[in-house]
Amino acid sequence: MLQKAGFSLLPKRGKGSHSYWIHPLLPNPVVIFGKDGNDAKHYQTQDVKAGLAELKQLQQEDES
């Protein structure tokens, strides 16, 4: 979902299984932890949805 919305995955940052997704319009990355293939926790899904909603709002403001 993030990749389709234009987010880019940052390279690994040290130990751990966190992934950092950035978008040029957003000031903060969307951070997801866990290994690929693991089921996402409810709050992680909410973080992704919040990041996508914030991006959509900024894009609508730019169109105005």
Side-chain angles (χ1 to χ4, degrees):
M1 288 173 58
L2 293 171
Q3 192 172 22
K4 285 183 180 181
F7 284 78
S8 299
L9 178 63
L10 288 177
K12 287 285 185 191
R13 299 172 142 191
K15 291 184 177 182
S17 56
H18 291 71
S19 59
Y20 295 81
W21 291 84
I22 59 169
H23 194 281
L25 296 177
L26 297 178
N28 298 316
V30 174
V31 181
I32 301 173
F33 78 90
K35 298 184 187 254
D36 288 344
N38 287 357
D39 290 338
K41 305 288 185 200
H42 177 70
Y43 60 88
Q44 290 176 309
T45 305
Q46 296 302 320
D47 288 346
V48 169
K49 287 180 180 179
L52 293 171
E54 184 179 357
L55 176 61
K56 185 176 179 179
Q57 181 179 1
L58 288 172
Q59 289 172 334
Q60 289 174 344
E61 290 173 4
D62 282 347
E63 291 175 359
S64 299

